[in-house]
Amino acid sequence: MKAPPNQRVLCVATAVGHAKAVGAVCLAQGASCSFMITGSEDRTVKMWDLSPLSSLFDSPERTAAIISESGPVKLRSTYTFQAHEKDINSICVAPNDGIFATGSQDKTAKIWDVASGKALGTLQGHRRGVWNVAFSPVDRVIATTSGDRTVKLWSLSDFSCLKTFEGHTNSVLCVEFLTKGTQLMTTGSDGLIKLWNIKDAECVLTLDKHESKIWTLAKQHTEAHIATGGADSVIYIWKDTTQEHIDRLHMEEAKLLEQQQALDNFLSVKDYRNAINLALSLNQPHRLLTIFQDVMMATEHRHLLSAEDGADDSAQRDQPAIMGSVSVDQVIGSLAPDQLERLLGYVRNWNTNGKFARIAQATLYCVLTQYTSEVILSLPLAKDLISAIQPYSERHFTRLDNLLTDSFIVDYTLHAMDSVNPAGMEALTIGDDDSDYE
């Protein structure tokens, strides 16, 4: 701008008439901005006619000339009346410029006709003073905030309370409608900014940035940015990233579906290397556990069939596979440090369940035989993982030792039974033969 700083903003009008401090001001919502409503500590409301200013806004040069010659325009009040029994804290004009609302320390909010100043209704229900009032941009409802720590939503048809929002720990100072009238944003003396869903009266977001009371809240017309100012002498600008967040979630969901399909494709062609790497990158321990179980069971089933058929499986014995497949062992032996640490984390969790202990121990053995102790101990969480795996492993080996001991007892008992009465067993056999002849 070429104009000097002291001429960039001009005082074009003054409104004098209130007997005490003016605590609330609101301009008409229409494009013509033909009036202004003010409220004061003197408990009165005044409506000011702004039509004399319309001729001043035709040309900046003309406006500056008139103001420099005759001074600011002195506005005239259309009406004045006592609106409340105590200080007036807030005034808001409805979007259609037909009605306006006032909020007061007398614990009430009132609805007035703009044209006549006639009272249309009183909103009673707050237990302390009303700090702020705001009309919905789409519905015939109005929101009020109070020192009783609540926000209330009122019907403009019968002036009844529709909903009460509770969650602030101190006085609620400001309120604004957002998202086409479906949400409310509030600020309070507790230094918190809260976002509410009107439908279920639930708080969906709490912002804690200010260090003291948040006295004012303003939104951009597009609601893309919101500004808050507090007693901590700081103004914060907030950006609504809801759509970006939704888009990001959709992209992540689509990517996850693609990776899941790729994982299924790898398993169908037995490409275990890519399948295991993808399962680790997707952080799917249960899917990886299923892969290991299927591979080991398939190998055991194949060996069982070979034994029954008397086939020679010496080639397979020459290359023993810990996990049932040499390719799976090779994949585990070529993991990156972060993947190795994640796999050991899975082993720790699997090892706590006796049902999965065999897979956990096989995987652990495969890791220990292919990585040096220096590599394993260099992992950031190595000590925590080892301390968690060790006690459960000891418990599993103790259980196996007990089972092995019990199997020796059973074997000893069977041999003892054979050596106690071999003649009786022979007589029993002869008796069976005689019965066949009969």
Side-chain angles (χ1 to χ4, degrees), residues 276-427:
I276 293 173
N277 286 329
L278 190 54
L280 285 170
S281 64
L282 293 176
N283 194 20
Q284 294 187 349
H286 181 72
R287 194 68 181 272
L288 188 61
L289 175 67
T290 303
I291 294 174
F292 289 162
Q293 286 178 325
D294 292 343
V295 172
M296 295 184 70
M297 289 180 62
T299 302
E300 291 174 358
H301 182 66
R302 186 167 58 253
H303 289 171
L304 181 62
L305 292 178
S306 299
E308 292 178 352
D309 296 340
D312 185 11
D313 59 348
S314 59
Q316 295 179 0
R317 289 195 298 269
D318 292 340
Q319 295 181 339
I322 299 174
M323 301 300 297
S325 172
V326 175
S327 61
V328 174
D329 291 358
Q330 292 175 348
V331 173
I332 294 178
S334 60
L335 295 176
D338 60 325
Q339 292 179 316
L340 178 60
E341 186 176 70
R342 180 171 294 181
L343 179 60
L344 289 175
Y346 296 165
V347 170
R348 174 195 58 194
N349 296 334
W350 299 339
N351 204 41
T352 60
N353 190 330
K355 183 179 179 181
F356 308 134
R358 182 189 174 202
I359 302 296
Q361 291 298 319
T363 307
L364 181 61
Y365 179 58
C366 187
V367 170
L368 294 176
T369 55
Q370 301 189 79
Y371 292 92
T372 63
S373 58
E374 290 80 5
V375 173
I376 296 176
L377 292 175
S378 66
L379 300 175
L381 299 179
K383 293 184 179 180
D384 294 337
L385 293 172
I386 294 173
S387 62
I389 292 174
Q390 182 178 356
Y392 281 97
S393 297
E394 292 175 352
R395 185 182 304 177
H396 296 319
F397 281 111
T398 300
R399 178 168 56 86
L400 291 176
D401 288 340
N402 293 335
L403 288 175
L404 184 60
T405 302
D406 293 342
S407 68
F408 290 155
I409 295 175
V410 172
D411 186 57
Y412 172 77
T413 302
L414 292 175
H415 283 290
M417 291 175 62
D418 290 340
S419 61
V420 168
N421 191 10
M425 295 297 295
E426 182 179 357

Side-chain angles (χ1 to χ4, degrees), residues 4-317:
N6 62 343
Q7 295 183 11
R8 293 177 184 175
V9 178
L10 294 176
C11 176
V12 297
T14 59
V16 180
H18 283 292
K20 292 186 178 181
V22 178
V25 177
C26 189
L27 295 171
Q29 302 296 306
S32 61
C33 192
S34 58
F35 65 89
M36 174 178 66
I37 308 290
T38 60
S40 169
E41 289 183 4
D42 61 12
R43 307 173 188 176
T44 64
V45 164
K46 288 180 178 287
M47 175 183 175
W48 306 86
D49 181 18
L50 302 183
S51 57
L53 301 180
S54 59
S55 60
L56 297 178
F57 301 145
D58 296 340
S59 169
E61 294 78 7
R62 184 170 178 270
T63 300
I66 294 175
I67 297 302
S68 62
E69 180 180 349
S70 58
V73 177
K74 295 182 179 180
L75 299 177
R76 180 178 61 87
S77 63
T78 305
Y79 52 71
T80 302
F81 58 87
Q82 180 176 338
H84 290 273
E85 298 299 322
K86 292 186 178 181
D87 299 355
I88 299 174
N89 293 326
S90 177
I91 293 179
C92 184
V93 177
N96 63 0
D97 284 344
I99 59 176
F100 70 94
T102 57
S104 170
Q105 283 298 111
D106 64 6
K107 307 177 186 178
T108 67
K110 295 184 179 182
I111 310 299
W112 311 85
D113 179 69
V114 168
S116 63
K118 178 182 177 182
L120 301 178
T122 301
L123 311 179
Q124 293 180 320
H126 282 296
R127 298 187 302 275
R128 292 191 178 182
V130 176
W131 279 107
N132 197 219
V133 293
F135 285 97
S136 169
V138 293
D139 299 317
R140 286 184 52 81
V141 295
I142 185 173
T144 59
T145 68
S146 171
D148 61 8
R149 308 177 185 178
T150 67
V151 183
K152 289 184 180 291
L153 195 69
W154 309 81
S155 168
L156 291 176
S157 300
D158 56 6
F159 308 110
S160 62
C161 180
L162 303 176
K163 293 179 182 292
T164 299
F165 303 80
E166 296 180 301
H168 281 281
T169 58
N170 212 324
S171 300
V172 188
L173 302 177
C174 297
V175 63
E176 283 283 1
F177 282 87
L178 298 176
T179 323
K180 298 180 180 179
T182 61
Q183 293 181 311
L184 289 175
M185 178 165 281
T186 59
T187 66
S189 295
D190 51 11
L192 300 178
I193 304 170
K194 289 183 176 289
L195 182 66
W196 311 80
N197 281 338
I198 292 179
K199 183 176 181 180
D200 53 12
E202 289 292 328
C203 178
V204 296
L205 178 66
T206 298
L207 303 173
D208 185 8
K209 192 72 173 178
H210 286 278
E211 298 179 357
S212 188
K213 299 177 181 179
I214 305 175
W215 282 110
T216 184
L217 167 68
K219 65 178 180 180
Q220 191 178 8
H221 178 67
T222 61
E223 299 182 5
H225 294 87
I226 295 170
T228 56
D232 53 4
S233 306
V234 180
I235 299 172
Y236 288 105
I237 308 295
W238 308 87
K239 178 177 173 57
D240 184 3
T241 59
T242 303
Q243 190 59 47
E244 290 86 342
H245 180 67
I246 293 175
D247 293 341
R248 184 170 63 255
L249 290 179
H250 287 167
M251 292 179 61
E252 291 176 354
E253 183 178 357
K255 183 178 179 181
L256 180 61
L257 290 176
E258 293 177 359
Q259 291 176 329
Q260 292 280 14
Q261 184 60 49
L263 180 58
D264 293 336
N265 295 337
F266 291 144
L267 291 176
S268 64
V269 297
K270 301 186 183 307
D271 185 356
Y272 296 120
R273 176 178 296 276
N274 287 322
I276 293 173
N277 286 329
L278 190 54
L280 285 170
S281 64
L282 293 176
N283 194 20
Q284 294 187 349
H286 181 72
R287 194 68 181 272
L288 188 61
L289 175 67
T290 303
I291 294 174
F292 289 162
Q293 286 178 325
D294 292 343
V295 172
M296 295 184 70
M297 289 180 62
T299 302
E300 291 174 358
H301 182 66
R302 186 167 58 253
H303 289 171
L304 181 62
L305 292 178
S306 299
E308 292 178 352
D309 296 340
D312 185 11
D313 59 348
S314 59
Q316 295 179 0
R317 289 195 298 269

